[in-house]
Amino acid sequence: MKTIQAYRFALDLTPGQERDVLAHAGAARVAHNWALAWVKAVMDQRAAERTYGVPDDRLTPAASWSLPALRKAWNAAKPVVAPWWAQCSKEAFNTGLDALARALKNWSDSRSGKRAGRRVGFPRFKSRRRTIPSVRFTTGAIRVEPDRMHVVLPRLGRLKLHESARKLARRLDNDTARILSATVRRDGGRWHVAFCVEVERAERTPARTDSVVGVDVGIKYLAVLSTGELVDNPRHLVAAQQRMRQLGRALSRKSGPDRRTGRRPSNRWQRAANRLGRMHARVANLRRDGLHKLTTRLAREHGTIVVEDLNVTGMLANRRLARHIADAGLAEIRRQLAYKTSWNGGRLVVADRWYPSSKTCSGCGTVKAKLALSEREYHCEACGLDIDRDRNAAANLAALAAEYDTAGSGPVAARGAIRKTQLAGREASKREPGTASAGRTGTVPLQGGTADRVLAKAHEKVTVVWS
């Protein structure tokens, strides 16, 4: 099975090598800003001509936003715009032009409705001080040295790694991997190189192929499994909050940059900003490490994993919980499970965000009409079940996957679910059509129709991501 995978390694650059990398990143920024100014000038000129009543066939020719067109325009203008262009690799300029071409396409597709998700704004100019230095190489000499502690990149030469690249080197030696590109980027005060590699992965199967586990993510516990396991939330950001406040107060006392007066930051301000950035990077690395260990273990052990389609963006609107939700990385768990289940031969089932996993009783299937967030214990008035709210949700997610025989049936649409809480298919099939649950408070009565129609609605509430 061929797949695209990234290998990221920290670098130990000499001062001269760091200057060369910064020069290449600056060249990418210059090419990006020049091309953006050129595109904006053409767009503004055409808009002004329209206000003068100039017909469309006589307007200034539109500038193409494709990467080949931007590269052609840059090659014609670079002797004047950047007479030093020969000192940097052509890949540096291509990095900035490619980023602009992607940004313009995303903006255009977002305006026309072709791109789903949040609205994308028009590209902005890159600042020398606020932009993260980065340069990507797609051609030329890109290789890992035999000692596995050095890499070779075009124009930058031989760079020392902070850690061994043996995992990537083994695949390259066995002809099971092919490097597509290499990106050098400064993150958290340290330089990294990331290789985009086409990898030939061996077919694998989970340790327990028939195992089905429901995963309910949250804040108190990072994940509650239907097996009864509770994965603690390490809360890395909360643990580092006191130190971050100290570093932030120290930074505020230094003489920082001022765009109004043109004042440049002092050296002490820069050192304090670097200390704060390293602290943020440490928190991010700790969070990433914990999430990778959790998702890898789940993907290797269980054949079917069921998660919810959470609206994390909407959850972040809660000002009381936004910091804790962001610190948990709920969306990252699902993203990692999506590709790790395919790597390990498993299956990921995504329940619709309107599926009432917390409101449904895992014992009898009764659905509550309302369940406050403060109610951490689920009490079923129908069967008398008392269970932790998160364990109940995880059990319902696992049962949801067990009810569907998806072998050979392909994906099941997830957007058919409605926002109104309905009875679970197991409980609805036991009752007469068009009747409510007699003597059971807190449940939602059926709105007419047969039990088969209710069960069909429940079938619309999952998406199956195949390996």
Side-chain angles (χ1 to χ4, degrees), residues 407-434:
S409 59
V412 181
R415 291 302 173 189
I418 59 177
R419 301 191 179 190
K420 185 182 299 184
T421 303
Q422 297 287 342
L423 292 173
R426 291 176 295 168
E427 183 67 17
S429 61
K430 300 177 184 177
R431 304 178 187 171
E432 294 296 329

Side-chain angles (χ1 to χ4, degrees), residues 5 30 51 71 83 94-95 140 146-147 171 188-189 221 239 332 459:
Q5 186 174 342
V30 169
T51 61
R71 189 187 294 118
N94 189 76
T95 299
D147 62 356
R171 288 189 175 275
Y221 294 102
E332 182 68 10
H459 281 213

Side-chain angles (χ1 to χ4, degrees), residues 354-413:
W354 303 115
Y355 175 69
S357 60
S358 298
K359 299 179 181 179
T360 304
C361 176
S362 58
C364 64
T366 303
V367 182
K368 285 189 175 183
K370 293 183 179 180
L371 183 65
L373 185 61
S374 59
E375 298 181 37
R376 305 313 304 171
E377 291 290 331
Y378 184 92
H379 174 69
C380 180
E381 299 180 359
C383 65
L385 176 65
D386 289 321
I387 188 175
D388 181 78
R389 174 196 182 109
D390 297 332
R391 290 190 178 183
N392 179 68
N396 286 326
L397 291 175
L400 181 64
E403 292 181 1
Y404 298 93
D405 183 12
T406 54
S409 59
V412 181

